[in-house]
């Protein structure tokens, strides 16, 4: 496999501040609103600024409530500390998901609800131009491309939106999101070329017509910020005017915006994620962004060469199968902290402090309004470090794990008359529920948590779980808790000076993922126990909860006063008031039932590539006789343009047929070609295989692989040409090129054949070229390539394969080896209960002797390519998104287009369904349109 040049940054300690690298001191000079208005391209007007009635920074206070399409106009501004929504501070905690990487609109709600539950208050959305535009002037915002539906769903799930429509978005997408037709159009992308700007303006205008209807400033949606693609400052004024003319009035973010935007790039594990994001907090980041919150699938021909596998970002905290991963805990904790502890929305740099062990580096910050101090302690060494750290006038012994970080706090108010003196664990949330004050702290399983509270009046602590211990001494309550795996320890604190009770919760990472705060119009709620909390409704004396369970779990609910009854997913839950003044379920919530997936049987098989035969009728193919190209790849002297994009074939495989005259003495053929990752070429002469060539491991540094495939004619064919010159008078050279993806940063580099040379003869050649047929009107332009079976609908449900050969699953790796393309089709049914969300994958085997490529189609949708030509290739699991996958007793059509070289064992080997995860709950799923062949 060729070496991949990735445009991603690997987070190794210091994650980048994507939009600004300004120091806090430099940024302080930009705190004035007039300067910010200029820096944001005029996006913050005087009318948009908060009317606080005070001079200077907006003081710390309660955050704004969850957003929605509430019909009320809102004022949006920023200062050097945070966003300001109607004069109230909001710490933006944004996670990125790409709707185009989840081609099932019903599941957008699932992911957005999970993101909100895990602490995000905003979703970062990139839009891929190439998904929406199959040809110049043609745009499609329906089906899986329905931007209006996505923005409505975001508002319904109470998530702000940070919109990024490009035109260039990067994101490891083919050509960085630019449409394929732009490779062969006038104008150079990313410049002020008028031809390009006409296309870009048209795209943005189509997006803006939808986005403008969903702006939070207008109260008609939750689009809060708009990130623009302006690589040069000279373009900003024009772009600003363009967007304002389209009705976009939310703040604009761009490369020169002097607002610290902290974007973590693909952290490897939980420790690195925590270290990176805490470092952002310590350096004054205003807008926090997680890339990516949800990975998804680069289905079809979507992926750029920098990410050529269908799975996009396997390090995402919510994985491709919509399951939480181990990396989610620190993101959940920080998101809830920024949401529920307003002290962290306004922090200034405070006097420097040092740990006694220099391996721990400390950043000290303070909130000037509340007196809360924050200490970010970072350990870049390979071992755990225990050291004393001066906090709040006390030397506190703390332990920071290897290559990890911790956030400590002092002076944090925990409710009526109680303040945190210091703690050796991190605060996660502090909220009021009815007459209760609830504070949660998190640490690592196996460590001892030590919390010290300033309590001027002697409290009455009550140990609710046996792990906790406490002592009161000189106005301070000392609490110690040994942290157990996946366990929450609770302590109740009361005193005669207040009618409010403090509930302290101390949890490890695993247990923190079962703590769910939720804001309702009648007050806050905290739920402990289930795998996910999706929604909460207060209905008289009943609290109605919806969510997911994976295994049997208890349910504990802290709710506003007057709530006496609980339902879970519509079913009543028997509950009683516990010692922590919570409603506790008498019986555990049920887990997900066992699911059994069917074996894949009843396969049918058919070979194709008739294009390789000399008698194939190619009269309807495009004539490849152009002499000039828009490509950055030079056209070889004396040869026609053979680049696929110049003839309108931008995605998937492409066929060439050259009619040779005067080739009687031909000895060999050299075929130069250019592809993205996993490129491949097959060649035939008059129907006889010449061989298969795969790209090597070296590329040109721009995500493009080039090579020359040299084929010597088979001895028998050379002999026949010599003995019968009339045969050599007219030969057909057929070439199949798996041209794969455009690079993000060199989108005009050629794909397909680039030149052809002959040895032994100098024949004249007349070329024709054929790629994908017209774009699929439902599945979009990146779904199909130019294989014969794709052009004739072999991948579609309802195609009549009754005359295909019957094969059993055991005989898929057949022994009749041939160079070319073989299709396999079968159907299967699932019977998943309606109240279960099952994530199902398709596994293709790799390994020694399995030298093949396979394109996977489910109900006509191209789920991506498996490249099994590496002898060490592991099995790959294709996630089959519900909606495209019919899970409720309906038929599914699975089709595999398998390319083999004629030498290795053909066929994909064992093909099986695998249950990737399941939950009792989920969201209602609507089937995604999957039409069959046109009649």
């Amino acid at each position: 496999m060729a070496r991949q040049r990735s445009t991603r940054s690997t987070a190794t300690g210091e994650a980048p501040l994507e939009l600004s690298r300004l120091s806090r001191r430099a940024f302080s000079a930009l705190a004035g609103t007039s300067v910010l208005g200029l820096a944001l391209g005029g996006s913050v007007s005087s009318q948009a600024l908060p009317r606080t009635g005070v001079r200077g920074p907006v003081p710390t206070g309660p955050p704004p409530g969850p957003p929605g399409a509430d019909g009320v106009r809102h004022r949006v501004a920023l200062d050097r500390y945070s966003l300001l929504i109607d004069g109230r501070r909001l710490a933006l905690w944004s996670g990125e998901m790409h709707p185009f990487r989840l081609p099932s609109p019903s599941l957008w709600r699932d992911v957005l609800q999970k993101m909100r539950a895990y602490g995000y208050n905003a979703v970062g959305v990139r839009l891929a131009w190439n998904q929406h535009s199959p040809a110049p002037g043609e745009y499609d915002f329906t089906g899986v491309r329905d931007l209006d539906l996505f923005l409505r769903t975001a508002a319904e799930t109470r998530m702000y939106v940070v919109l990024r429509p490009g035109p260039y978005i990067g994101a490891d997408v083919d050509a960085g999101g630019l449409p394929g037709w732009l490779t062969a159009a006038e104008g150079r992308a990313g410049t002020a070329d008028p031809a390009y700007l006409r296309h870009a303006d048209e795209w943005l205008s189509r997006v803006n017509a939808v986005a403008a209807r969903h702006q939070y400033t207008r109260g008609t949606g939750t689009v809060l910020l708009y990130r623009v693609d302006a690589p040069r400052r000279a373009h900003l004024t024009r772009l600003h005017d363009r967007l304002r003319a389209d009705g976009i009035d939310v703040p604009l973010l761009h490369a020169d915006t002097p607002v610290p935007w902290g974007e973590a790039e693909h952290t490897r594990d939980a420790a690195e994620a925590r270290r990176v994001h805490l470092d952002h907090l310590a350096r004054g980041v205003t807008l926090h962004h997680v890339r990516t919150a949800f990975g998804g699938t680069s289905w079809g021909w979507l992926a750029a060469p920098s990410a050529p596998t269908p799975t996009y970002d396997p390090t995402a905290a919510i994985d491709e199968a919509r399951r939480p991963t181990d990396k989610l805990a620190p993101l959940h904790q920080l998101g809830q902290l920024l949401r529920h502890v307003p002290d962290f929305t306004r922090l200034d740099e405070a006097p420097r402090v040092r740990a006694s062990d220099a391996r721990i580096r400390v950043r000290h910050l303070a909130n000037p309004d509340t007196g809360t101090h924050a200490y970010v302690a970072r350990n870049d060494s390979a071992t755990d470090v225990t050291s004393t750290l001066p906090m709040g006038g006390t030397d506190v012994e703390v332990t920071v794990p290897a290559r990890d970080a911790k956030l400590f706090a002092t002076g944090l108010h925990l409710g009526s008359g109680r303040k945190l003196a210091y703690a050796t664990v991190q605060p996660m949330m502090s909220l009021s529920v009815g007459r209760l004050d609830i504070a949660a702290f998190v640490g690592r399983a196996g460590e001892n948590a030590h919390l010290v509270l300033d309590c001027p009046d002697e409290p009455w602590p009550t140990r609710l779980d046996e792990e906790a211990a406490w002592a009161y001494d000189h106005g301070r309550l000392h609490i110690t808790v040994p942290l157990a795996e996946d366990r929450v320890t609770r302590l109740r604190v009361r005193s005669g000076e207040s009618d409010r009770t403090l509930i302290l919760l101390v949890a490890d990472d695993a247990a923190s993922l079962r703590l769910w705060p939720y804001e309702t119009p009648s007050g806050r709620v905290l739920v402990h126990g289930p795998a996910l909390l999706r929604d909460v409704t207060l209905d008289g004396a009943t609290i109605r909860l919806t969510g997911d369970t994976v295994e049997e779990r208890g349910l504990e609910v802290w709710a506003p006063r007057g709530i006496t009854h609980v339902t879970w997913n519509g079913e009543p839950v028997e509950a009683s008031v516990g010692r922590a003044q919570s409603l506790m379920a008498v019986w555990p919530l049920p887990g997900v039932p066992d699911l059994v997936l069917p074996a894949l049987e009843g396969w049918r098989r058919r070979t194709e590539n008739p294009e390789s035969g000399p008698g194939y009728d190619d009269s309807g193919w495009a004539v490849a006789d152009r002499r000039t190209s828009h490509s950055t790849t030079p056209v070889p002297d004396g040869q026609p343009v053979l680049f696929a994009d110049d003839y309108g074939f931008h995605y998937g495989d492409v066929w060439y047929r050259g009619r040779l005259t005067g080739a009687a003495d031909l000895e060999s053929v050299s075929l130069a070609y250019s592809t993205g990752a996993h490129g491949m070429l097959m060649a035939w002469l008059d129907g006889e295989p010449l061989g298969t060539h795969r790209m090597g491991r070296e590329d040109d540094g721009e995500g493009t692989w080039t090579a020359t495939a040299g084929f010597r004619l088979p001895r028998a064919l050379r002999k026949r040409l010599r003995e019968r010159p009339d045969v050599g008078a007219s030969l057909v050279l057929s070439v199949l090129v798996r041209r794969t993806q455009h690079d993000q940063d060199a989108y005009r580099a050629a794909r397909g054949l680039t030149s052809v040379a002959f040895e032994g003869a100098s024949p004249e050649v007349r070329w024709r070229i054929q790629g994908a047929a017209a774009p699929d009107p439902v599945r979009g332009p990146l779904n199909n390539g130019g294989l014969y079976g794709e052009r004739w609908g072999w991948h579609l449900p309802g195609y009549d394969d009754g005359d295909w050969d019957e094969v059993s699953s055991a005989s898929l790796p057949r022994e009749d080896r041939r160079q070319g393309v073989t299709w396999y089709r079968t159907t299967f049914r699932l019977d998943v209960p309606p109240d279960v969300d099952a994530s199902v994958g398709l596994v293709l085997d790799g390994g020694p002797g399995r030298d093949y490529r396979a394109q996977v189609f489910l109900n006509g949708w191209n789920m991506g390519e498996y490249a099994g030509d590496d002898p060490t290739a592991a099995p790959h699991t294709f996630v089959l998104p519900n909606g495209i996958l019919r899970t409720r007793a309906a038929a599914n059509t699975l089709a595999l287009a398998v390319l083999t070289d004629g030498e290795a064992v053909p066929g994909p080997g064992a093909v099986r369904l695998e249950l990737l995860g399941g939950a009792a709950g989920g969201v209602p799923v609507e089937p995604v349109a999957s039409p069959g062949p046109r009649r």
Side-chain angles (χ1 to χ4, degrees):
M1 185 178 68
R3 178 176 61 85
Q4 301 167 20
R5 185 192 63 82
S6 176
T7 58
R8 303 180 184 181
S9 299
T10 300
T12 55
E14 303 261 345
L17 299 185
E18 185 184 78
L19 296 184
S20 175
R21 301 180 184 273
L22 297 179
S23 67
R24 178 177 293 277
R25 178 176 297 177
F27 182 65
S28 297
L30 298 174
T33 56
S34 62
V35 175
L36 271 175
L38 175 63
L40 292 170
S43 61
V44 181
S45 65
S46 58
Q47 289 78 19
L49 294 173
R51 301 187 180 101
T52 62
V54 297
R55 298 179 64 85
V58 174
T60 302
D70 54 13
V72 177
R73 287 191 171 269
H74 297 279
R75 300 185 304 275
V76 181
L78 306 96
D79 65 10
R80 70 184 180 97
Y81 297 109
S82 70
L83 276 164
L84 301 169
I85 307 297
D86 299 325
R88 302 170 73 177
R89 292 201 174 278
L90 175 75
L92 189 77
W93 183 254
S94 170
E96 190 165 304
M97 74 166 290
H98 303 152
F100 56 81
R101 282 195 163 102
L102 184 55
S104 177
S106 299
L107 296 183
W108 296 343
R109 184 179 301 274
D110 175 71
V111 173
L112 289 170
Q113 286 184 345
K114 286 174 178 173
M115 289 177 62
R116 183 195 63 196
Y118 287 120
Y120 296 100
N121 56 19
V123 56
V125 180
R126 302 193 198 208
L127 303 179
W129 186 0
N130 55 16
Q131 284 281 295
H132 297 267
S133 182
E138 294 183 21
Y139 294 92
D140 185 353
F141 287 88
T142 64
V144 299
R145 297 163 293 277
D146 193 338
L147 175 60
D148 188 83
L149 174 60
F150 182 87
L151 296 179
R152 291 200 313 270
T153 305
E156 291 166 4
T157 55
R158 306 198 297 179
M159 292 283 282
Y160 292 110
V161 174
V162 181
L163 193 64
R164 186 175 181 178
Y168 173 88
I169 62 169
D172 296 308
V173 173
D174 183 283
L178 301 176
W181 54 261
L182 200 64
T183 62
E186 295 285 348
R188 180 183 169 197
T191 70
D193 188 306
Y196 165 71
L197 292 178
R198 283 194 298 272
H199 295 305
D201 285 351
E202 185 176 60
W203 159 245
L204 291 177
S205 292
R206 297 298 183 99
V207 171
N208 295 339
V210 179
R213 301 196 300 266
H214 295 273
Q215 295 180 99
Y216 192 60
T217 48
R218 300 183 183 184
T220 54
T222 55
V223 175
L224 184 70
L225 299 170
Y226 189 112
R227 292 184 67 178
V228 300
D229 171 29
R232 295 174 179 81
R233 187 171 180 82
H235 300 169
L236 285 176
T237 299
R238 180 189 177 280
L239 184 56
H240 166 266
D241 293 343
R242 166 81 267 168
L243 297 176
R244 292 297 178 245
D246 286 344
I248 301 299
D249 55 25
V250 297
L252 309 180
L253 300 177
H254 52 76
D256 287 332
T257 303
V259 177
W261 172 279
E263 181 168 275
E265 292 273 1
H266 310 286
T267 52
R268 292 182 294 264
D269 52 31
E272 186 176 41
R274 181 166 33 241
R275 189 170 74 244
V276 167
H277 288 290
L278 286 179
D279 187 66
H280 286 175
L281 183 70
R283 290 192 284 142
V285 163
T286 298
L287 310 175
H288 299 267
H289 187 65
V290 177
R291 181 186 174 193
T292 52
F294 166 72
T297 302
S298 294
W299 57 280
W301 296 105
L302 179 68
S306 50
T309 65
T311 299
Y312 178 67
D313 192 3
T315 70
I318 301 174
D319 71 10
E320 184 183 9
R322 299 175 289 112
R323 302 169 299 180
T325 67
D326 293 340
K327 201 173 69 176
L328 194 54
L331 306 179
H332 177 59
Q333 295 158 11
L334 282 168
Q336 305 296 355
L337 177 76
L338 292 174
R339 175 64 190 162
H340 297 286
V341 185
D343 307 62
F344 290 88
T345 61
R346 186 184 176 200
L347 293 172
D348 285 320
E349 195 166 355
R352 186 175 183 181
V353 299
R354 296 178 183 273
S356 60
D357 191 315
R359 289 175 295 177
I360 295 181
R361 293 186 292 160
V362 184
R363 295 292 295 268
H364 180 201
L365 307 111
N367 185 301
D369 302 322
T370 66
T372 296
H373 287 247
Y375 305 82
V376 176
R378 174 171 166 163
N379 174 18
D380 291 334
S381 74
T383 59
D384 295 359
V385 176
T386 299
S387 174
T388 58
L389 178 64
M391 293 192 294
T394 304
D395 286 340
V396 182
E397 186 177 272
V398 299
T399 298
V400 182
R403 297 189 178 92
D404 207 333
K406 277 191 174 183
L407 172 67
F408 305 106
T410 65
L412 184 64
H413 290 269
L414 302 180
S416 178
R418 303 178 184 99
K419 184 187 295 185
L420 179 69
Y422 61 85
T424 62
V425 283
Q426 177 176 308
M428 177 177 168
M429 68 181 80
S430 178
L431 61 160
S432 296
V433 180
R435 288 184 176 177
L436 298 177
D437 297 320
I438 304 176
F441 293 81
V442 290
R444 186 173 59 160
E447 70 176 311
N448 280 315
H450 185 198
L451 294 86
V452 179
L453 276 59
D454 283 326
C455 299
D457 300 297
E458 184 169 356
W460 308 329
T462 302
R463 184 174 62 179
L464 306 177
D465 297 290
E466 61 184 24
E467 294 90 353
W470 60 269
Y472 183 73
D473 182 44
H474 293 89
R476 286 186 164 180
L477 179 64
H478 294 256
I479 301 164
T480 57
V481 177
L483 291 176
E485 181 72 32
D486 197 13
R487 187 179 181 101
V488 173
T489 299
R490 301 163 300 162
L491 188 84
R492 187 179 67 210
V493 180
R494 294 182 290 184
S495 69
E497 300 301 316
S498 174
D499 63 351
R500 298 190 65 80
T501 297
L502 172 65
I503 303 296
L504 285 174
L505 309 175
V506 186
D508 74 318
D509 281 351
S512 75
L513 288 170
R514 295 187 289 108
L515 286 172
W516 309 108
Y518 196 98
E519 295 164 84
T520 76
S522 301
R524 292 181 176 179
V525 169
L526 180 62
V527 175
H528 168 234
L532 182 71
L533 180 69
R534 293 183 181 273
D535 206 0
V536 177
T537 302
L538 301 183
D539 181 9
T542 301
I543 183 168
R544 304 188 184 278
L545 310 175
T546 59
D548 297 357
T549 56
V550 174
E551 55 191 10
E552 284 193 355
R553 285 286 187 180
L555 175 67
E556 186 171 15
V557 181
W558 288 272
R561 297 177 62 191
I563 299 297
T564 57
H565 294 80
V566 181
T567 68
W568 177 258
N569 289 342
E571 298 296 325
V573 174
E574 186 179 350
S576 60
V577 178
R579 298 171 67 201
Q581 299 184 26
S582 58
L583 288 169
M584 300 190 70
V586 174
W587 306 105
L589 299 177
V592 64
D594 291 336
L595 299 175
V596 178
L597 300 180
L600 295 176
E601 300 285 355
W603 289 92
R604 290 183 176 272
R605 174 182 180 270
R606 185 172 183 178
T607 60
E608 57 132 284
N609 55 277
E611 301 95 334
S612 63
Y616 180 81
D617 181 8
D618 59 17
S619 60
W621 290 19
V623 176
D625 59 358
R626 297 187 179 187
R627 295 294 167 176
T628 61
S629 170
H630 290 292
S631 174
T632 55
T633 302
V635 179
D637 292 340
Q639 298 210 22
V641 174
L642 296 176
F643 313 154
D645 287 299
D646 286 271
Y647 298 96
F649 305 121
H650 307 300
Y651 308 111
D653 301 290
V654 63
W655 275 97
Y656 296 86
R657 282 173 59 87
R659 295 191 177 275
L660 283 59
T661 57
D665 296 322
L666 187 63
E667 297 285 337
S668 64
V669 178
S670 295
L671 303 169
Y673 70 117
S674 175
T675 74
H678 296 162
M680 186 171 69
L681 177 149
M682 295 179 175
W684 295 259
L685 187 63
D686 251 24
E688 293 198 30
L690 295 181
T692 297
H693 185 276
R694 299 171 185 81
M695 281 295 172
R697 297 182 179 274
E698 297 300 322
D699 65 79
D700 67 359
E702 296 292 340
T704 292
W705 283 253
T706 59
T708 298
F711 299 113
R712 186 169 176 80
L713 272 60
R715 180 179 300 176
L717 179 57
R718 296 199 310 271
K719 180 179 179 181
R720 190 164 78 245
L721 293 179
R722 288 195 301 269
E723 293 175 350
R724 294 191 55 190
D726 58 307
V727 174
S730 179
L731 296 173
V732 176
L733 175 62
S734 301
V735 182
L736 173 63
V737 179
R738 176 144 285 198
R739 36 80 45 83
T740 62
Q741 315 93 333
H742 301 89
D743 182 58
Q744 295 185 107
D745 301 322
Y747 73 102
R748 280 190 164 170
R751 291 295 185 266
L753 281 182
T754 54
S755 67
V756 181
F758 303 96
E759 184 177 339
S762 300
E764 293 184 4
V765 188
R766 291 175 291 124
W767 288 103
R768 289 184 180 268
I769 182 172
Q770 176 65 55
D776 188 307
V778 173
R779 300 172 181 91
L782 277 73
N783 194 74
N784 298 349
L787 295 179
Y788 181 89
E790 291 176 287
R791 304 198 308 270
W792 288 95
W794 293 9
H795 60 299
L796 297 175
Y799 178 82
D800 185 4
D801 57 13
D803 60 347
W804 290 23
D805 297 334
E806 294 184 13
V807 294
S808 69
S809 59
S811 65
L812 288 186
R814 296 173 63 89
E815 295 301 324
D816 52 341
R817 307 184 183 197
R818 64 183 295 273
Q819 175 179 286
V821 185
T822 304
W823 284 76
Y824 299 85
R825 282 173 55 95
T826 189
T827 60
F828 63 92
R829 289 177 181 268
L830 302 179
D831 191 13
V832 177
D835 57 348
V836 171
D837 177 12
S839 183
V840 178
L842 178 78
V843 182
L844 297 188
D845 280 344
R850 298 267 178 245
D851 195 349
Y852 69 96
R853 304 288 179 84
Q855 209 70 30
V856 176
F857 295 90
L858 176 66
N859 294 325
W861 290 84
N862 185 341
M863 294 289 99
E865 177 198 38
Y866 177 65
D869 51 12
D870 183 344
T872 63
H876 182 79
T877 300
F878 292 80
V879 175
L880 308 177
N882 296 344
I884 290 178
L885 177 68
R886 312 297 200 240
T887 61
R888 315 294 189 211
N892 293 279
T893 298
L894 178 64
L896 308 178
V898 180
L899 283 69
T900 51
D901 63 4
E903 297 180 2
V905 176
V911 182
R912 65 185 184 278
L913 298 175
E914 182 174 292
L915 183 64
L916 305 179
V923 299
V925 177
E926 293 292 329
V928 177
S930 301
R934 297 177 182 178
R935 302 298 181 185

